[in-house]
Amino acid sequence: VQPQRGGRAPLTPGYDLRAGASGTNLTVSQAFPSGHTTAAYAYGLAMAEILPELGPEILTRASEAGNNRAVLGVHYPMDIMGGRIEGHSNVSAALTTNRLYVASLKAARTEVMAYLTRRCEADGHGDTVQACIGNVGANDKNGYYNTFTDSVSTTPVVDRASALKAYRARMTYGFDKASAYGGPAPATTAPVVPTGAENLLSTAFPTLSDAQRRQVLAATEIDAGYALDSSSGGWQRINLAAAMSAKVTVGKAGHVVKIETGNLKPEVVSAPLAS
C-alpha cells in the first residue's frame, strides 16, 4: 500500500512489494491490507526465522493475531489475507536486500540457540535444542495450543497437525476459488514461487540451495485460483507453515526427490542408495 503524501495523491488499494517497503505506516485509515495483520505476520515470521524448529507453531500464532481483527469486527477476511501476503513479502525483501536485518536475525538466532541449549542441558532434556523440543513435546501435544474455534478454524490447536490445519484454513478463509464466483480461472495452475521467497527457509534448511528451497515452497503451496492469487505474484499460495514442517529427501545427484509435510522438525535426509 502506498502511503498518502501531503494529503494529495489518494491511496490506491494494492501491495507495495518494493524492497523495504511497509504498508503499515499509513496517514489515513484504510482496511486493505490490514496493517495489524501485516505487522503480526512480519514479526511472527522473524521469530520463526530465529527458531524454525518451532516455525509452524509461531506462524500459526501470528495467524491468530490476524484472525483477531475479524473477531473484533474491524477487518474483513480478505484484509487479513492481504496482511499475510504483505507481511511475508516484506520480510522476504528484507532478507534479500537489508544486510543489517539479516545480520540481526543471525545474531539473535545464535544467542537464542546458545541460551536454550544451556537450559536444556541443565534441565536434562538433551544436548541440542531440537532434542530438547522433542523431549518436552513443544512441537507436538505439550507445546503451543489454543482452544478457540470459529467457522473457519473449526478445531482447537492442540498439536502440530492441528496448528498446520488452522494456518491453512486462514490462508483462504473458507472462500472457494474465484472461478466459483464468476471470476476467471488462473491462466496456469503450475506452482509460482516469488523471487526471494526461498530466503524465508534459509534457517529452516541451511544445507539446501536456493533452488532446492524453492522446490520445497513449490511443493507445499496451495492451489492456484483463490482470492487475491492473481494479484499477489504468488505470495497468496505460499504455505510457509507447511514448508517449515517438511522432510526433504535429496537424491545422490542433489535433486530433491520427495517432500513430506507434517514432520515434527524441518529435516533433510539422503535418499537410500539403490540396492
Side-chain angles (χ1 to χ4, degrees), residues 31 57 60 115 129 142 159 186 201 208 211 215 217 257 265-266 275:
E57 287 75 23
T60 303
Y115 171 78
V129 172
N142 293 327
D159 54 16
L201 296 180
L208 295 184
Q215 285 182 272
L217 291 170
V257 297
K265 60 181 178 180
S275 56

Side-chain angles (χ1 to χ4, degrees), residues 77-119:
M78 284 192 189
D79 301 333
I80 298 165
M81 292 162 61
R84 172 179 54 80
I85 290 168
E86 187 161 36
H88 281 23
S89 65
N90 284 347
V91 172
S92 172
L95 289 171
T96 304
T97 64
N98 190 328
R99 287 182 291 180
L100 178 59
Y101 184 85
V102 173
S104 297
L105 283 186
K106 183 177 180 179
R109 174 162 171 76
T110 298
E111 184 176 345
V112 167
M113 293 297 282
Y115 171 78
L116 291 177
T117 299
R118 290 195 305 269
R119 289 298 305 267

Side-chain angles (χ1 to χ4, degrees), residues 119-175:
R119 289 298 305 267
C120 287
E121 289 180 327
D123 293 341
H125 293 304
D127 57 2
T128 67
V129 172
Q130 188 64 67
C132 181
I133 288 173
N135 185 276
V136 302
N139 57 350
D140 201 26
K141 295 182 179 179
N142 293 327
Y144 162 71
Y145 71 94
N146 191 327
T147 58
F148 174 83
T149 60
D150 57 21
S151 59
V152 174
S153 183
T154 58
T155 58
V157 175
V158 296
D159 54 16
R160 173 157 291 191
S162 55
L164 291 171
K165 184 177 180 181
Y167 185 90
R168 169 61 183 85
R170 294 174 185 139
M171 289 185 68
T172 55
Y173 269 90
F175 291 113

Side-chain angles (χ1 to χ4, degrees), residues 52-63:
E53 293 82 357
L54 293 176
E57 287 75 23
I58 295 170
L59 290 170
T60 303
R61 179 63 186 93
S63 79

